[in-house]
mmCIF file of all heavy atoms in Angstrom:
data_model
loop_
_atom_site.group_PDB
_atom_site.id
_atom_site.type_symbol
_atom_site.label_atom_id
_atom_site.label_comp_id
_atom_site.label_asym_id
_atom_site.label_seq_id
_atom_site.Cartn_x
_atom_site.Cartn_y
_atom_site.Cartn_z
ATOM 1 N N ASN T 104 -4.785 4.602 -13.910
ATOM 2 C CA ASN T 104 -3.859 4.416 -15.068
ATOM 3 C C ASN T 104 -4.492 4.627 -16.343
ATOM 4 O O ASN T 104 -3.954 5.247 -17.215
ATOM 5 C CB ASN T 104 -3.256 2.964 -14.985
ATOM 6 C CG ASN T 104 -2.105 2.915 -13.972
ATOM 7 O OD1 ASN T 104 -1.549 3.778 -13.494
ATOM 8 N ND2 ASN T 104 -1.931 1.611 -13.552
ATOM 9 N N ALA T 105 -5.741 4.217 -16.425
ATOM 10 C CA ALA T 105 -6.537 4.404 -17.660
ATOM 11 C C ALA T 105 -6.735 5.945 -17.927
ATOM 12 O O ALA T 105 -6.610 6.391 -19.051
ATOM 13 C CB ALA T 105 -7.791 3.644 -17.687
ATOM 14 N N ALA T 106 -7.041 6.656 -16.935
ATOM 15 C CA ALA T 106 -7.300 8.076 -16.962
ATOM 16 C C ALA T 106 -5.958 8.849 -17.350
ATOM 17 O O ALA T 106 -6.048 9.862 -18.116
ATOM 18 C CB ALA T 106 -7.975 8.646 -15.760
ATOM 19 N N SER T 107 -4.820 8.421 -16.871
ATOM 20 C CA SER T 107 -3.594 9.107 -17.000
ATOM 21 C C SER T 107 -2.938 8.619 -18.309
ATOM 22 O O SER T 107 -1.995 9.315 -18.790
ATOM 23 C CB SER T 107 -2.617 8.975 -15.822
ATOM 24 O OG SER T 107 -2.253 7.556 -15.784
ATOM 25 N N GLY T 108 -3.266 7.411 -18.761
ATOM 26 C CA GLY T 108 -2.609 6.873 -19.997
ATOM 27 C C GLY T 108 -1.205 6.263 -19.656
ATOM 28 O O GLY T 108 -0.500 5.907 -20.569
ATOM 29 N N GLU T 109 -0.880 6.161 -18.361
ATOM 30 C CA GLU T 109 0.268 5.494 -17.954
ATOM 31 C C GLU T 109 -0.026 4.217 -17.227
ATOM 32 O O GLU T 109 -1.103 4.058 -16.722
ATOM 33 C CB GLU T 109 1.120 6.486 -16.970
ATOM 34 C CG GLU T 109 1.541 7.728 -17.687
ATOM 35 C CD GLU T 109 2.325 8.556 -16.797
ATOM 36 O OE1 GLU T 109 1.820 8.972 -15.692
ATOM 37 O OE2 GLU T 109 3.403 8.918 -17.188
ATOM 38 N N ALA T 110 0.949 3.328 -17.146
ATOM 39 C CA ALA T 110 0.807 2.105 -16.367
ATOM 40 C C ALA T 110 1.706 2.127 -15.159
ATOM 41 O O ALA T 110 2.753 1.498 -15.209
ATOM 42 C CB ALA T 110 1.095 0.884 -17.295
ATOM 43 N N LYS T 111 1.417 2.803 -14.189
ATOM 44 C CA LYS T 111 2.209 2.926 -12.900
ATOM 45 C C LYS T 111 1.677 1.996 -11.967
ATOM 46 O O LYS T 111 0.559 1.603 -11.918
ATOM 47 C CB LYS T 111 2.057 4.410 -12.397
ATOM 48 C CG LYS T 111 2.697 5.464 -13.285
ATOM 49 C CD LYS T 111 4.097 5.726 -13.120
ATOM 50 C CE LYS T 111 4.598 6.914 -13.991
ATOM 51 N NZ LYS T 111 5.908 7.381 -13.505
ATOM 52 N N ALA T 112 2.588 1.637 -11.029
ATOM 53 C CA ALA T 112 2.199 0.687 -9.890
ATOM 54 C C ALA T 112 1.895 1.638 -8.687
ATOM 55 O O ALA T 112 2.533 2.804 -8.588
ATOM 56 C CB ALA T 112 3.417 -0.180 -9.539
ATOM 57 N N LEU T 113 1.110 1.134 -7.800
ATOM 58 C CA LEU T 113 0.860 1.835 -6.549
ATOM 59 C C LEU T 113 2.034 1.442 -5.573
ATOM 60 O O LEU T 113 2.068 0.150 -5.232
ATOM 61 C CB LEU T 113 -0.471 1.603 -6.042
ATOM 62 C CG LEU T 113 -0.809 2.301 -4.721
ATOM 63 C CD1 LEU T 113 -1.142 3.764 -4.996
ATOM 64 C CD2 LEU T 113 -2.000 1.768 -4.021
ATOM 65 N N ARG T 114 2.855 2.214 -5.116
ATOM 66 C CA ARG T 114 3.922 1.938 -4.265
ATOM 67 C C ARG T 114 3.493 2.223 -2.713
ATOM 68 O O ARG T 114 3.025 3.217 -2.499
ATOM 69 C CB ARG T 114 5.180 2.687 -4.529
ATOM 70 C CG ARG T 114 6.347 2.434 -3.507
ATOM 71 C CD ARG T 114 7.613 3.027 -3.863
ATOM 72 N NE ARG T 114 8.167 2.507 -5.154
ATOM 73 C CZ ARG T 114 8.732 1.288 -5.394
ATOM 74 N NH1 ARG T 114 8.752 0.504 -4.343
ATOM 75 N NH2 ARG T 114 9.117 0.940 -6.499
ATOM 76 N N ILE T 115 3.537 1.206 -1.935
ATOM 77 C CA ILE T 115 3.249 1.331 -0.473
ATOM 78 C C ILE T 115 4.658 1.169 0.255
ATOM 79 O O ILE T 115 5.183 0.174 0.209
ATOM 80 C CB ILE T 115 2.227 0.253 -0.006
ATOM 81 C CG1 ILE T 115 1.017 0.136 -0.773
ATOM 82 C CG2 ILE T 115 1.940 0.492 1.453
ATOM 83 C CD1 ILE T 115 0.120 1.336 -0.766
ATOM 84 N N ALA T 116 5.031 2.234 0.923
ATOM 85 C CA ALA T 116 6.364 2.184 1.724
ATOM 86 C C ALA T 116 5.976 2.616 3.122
ATOM 87 O O ALA T 116 4.967 3.290 3.397
ATOM 88 C CB ALA T 116 7.295 3.170 1.054
ATOM 89 N N VAL T 117 6.839 2.155 4.057
ATOM 90 C CA VAL T 117 6.828 2.553 5.398
ATOM 91 C C VAL T 117 8.007 3.306 5.727
ATOM 92 O O VAL T 117 9.148 2.902 5.406
ATOM 93 C CB VAL T 117 6.672 1.359 6.329
ATOM 94 C CG1 VAL T 117 6.676 1.700 7.834
ATOM 95 C CG2 VAL T 117 5.377 0.586 6.012
ATOM 96 N N GLU T 118 7.851 4.501 6.335
ATOM 97 C CA GLU T 118 8.938 5.386 6.634
ATOM 98 C C GLU T 118 8.823 5.809 8.127
ATOM 99 O O GLU T 118 7.724 5.832 8.701
ATOM 100 C CB GLU T 118 8.833 6.665 5.823
ATOM 101 C CG GLU T 118 8.944 6.390 4.349
ATOM 102 C CD GLU T 118 8.866 7.743 3.495
ATOM 103 O OE1 GLU T 118 8.270 8.695 4.039
ATOM 104 O OE2 GLU T 118 9.205 7.751 2.366
ATOM 105 N N GLY T 119 9.902 6.064 8.783
ATOM 106 C CA GLY T 119 9.943 6.669 10.132
ATOM 107 C C GLY T 119 9.357 8.106 9.988
ATOM 108 O O GLY T 119 9.448 8.867 9.100
ATOM 109 N N GLY T 120 8.491 8.418 11.125
ATOM 110 C CA GLY T 120 7.885 9.738 11.197
ATOM 111 C C GLY T 120 6.435 9.711 11.517
ATOM 112 O O GLY T 120 5.917 8.656 11.868
ATOM 113 N N GLY T 121 5.780 10.754 11.243
ATOM 114 C CA GLY T 121 4.392 10.809 11.595
ATOM 115 C C GLY T 121 4.138 10.928 13.059
ATOM 116 O O GLY T 121 5.090 10.828 13.873
ATOM 117 N N CYS T 122 2.940 11.158 13.557
ATOM 118 C CA CYS T 122 2.635 11.465 14.893
ATOM 119 C C CYS T 122 2.670 10.094 15.771
ATOM 120 O O CYS T 122 2.704 10.203 16.960
ATOM 121 C CB CYS T 122 1.337 12.185 15.051
ATOM 122 S SG CYS T 122 -0.046 11.251 14.330
ATOM 123 N N SER T 123 2.733 8.945 15.073
ATOM 124 C CA SER T 123 2.847 7.668 15.839
ATOM 125 C C SER T 123 4.078 6.955 15.696
ATOM 126 O O SER T 123 4.238 5.814 16.266
ATOM 127 C CB SER T 123 1.546 6.765 15.496
ATOM 128 O OG SER T 123 0.368 7.437 15.689
ATOM 129 N N GLY T 124 5.036 7.432 15.060
ATOM 130 C CA GLY T 124 6.354 6.708 14.874
ATOM 131 C C GLY T 124 6.621 6.264 13.495
ATOM 132 O O GLY T 124 7.857 6.321 13.030
ATOM 133 N N PHE T 125 5.667 5.750 12.765
ATOM 134 C CA PHE T 125 5.860 5.283 11.316
ATOM 135 C C PHE T 125 4.805 5.863 10.497
ATOM 136 O O PHE T 125 3.646 6.199 11.051
ATOM 137 C CB PHE T 125 5.766 3.774 11.253
ATOM 138 C CG PHE T 125 6.873 3.040 11.993
ATOM 139 C CD1 PHE T 125 6.652 2.416 13.168
ATOM 140 C CD2 PHE T 125 8.072 2.941 11.264
ATOM 141 C CE1 PHE T 125 7.686 1.773 13.779
ATOM 142 C CE2 PHE T 125 9.173 2.185 11.940
ATOM 143 C CZ PHE T 125 8.914 1.628 13.270
ATOM 144 N N GLN T 126 4.904 6.034 9.217
ATOM 145 C CA GLN T 126 3.927 6.516 8.418
ATOM 146 C C GLN T 126 3.993 5.852 7.126
ATOM 147 O O GLN T 126 5.068 5.377 6.658
ATOM 148 C CB GLN T 126 3.996 8.069 8.173
ATOM 149 C CG GLN T 126 5.211 8.571 7.516
ATOM 150 C CD GLN T 126 5.468 9.986 7.579
ATOM 151 O OE1 GLN T 126 4.531 10.672 8.071
ATOM 152 N NE2 GLN T 126 6.428 10.593 6.944
#
Side-chain angles (χ1 to χ4, degrees):
N104 285 337
S107 70
E109 297 182 303
K111 299 269 185 167
L113 184 74
R114 178 172 297 284
I115 308 290
V117 175
E118 300 176 340
C122 54
S123 296
F125 295 101
Q126 62 188 3

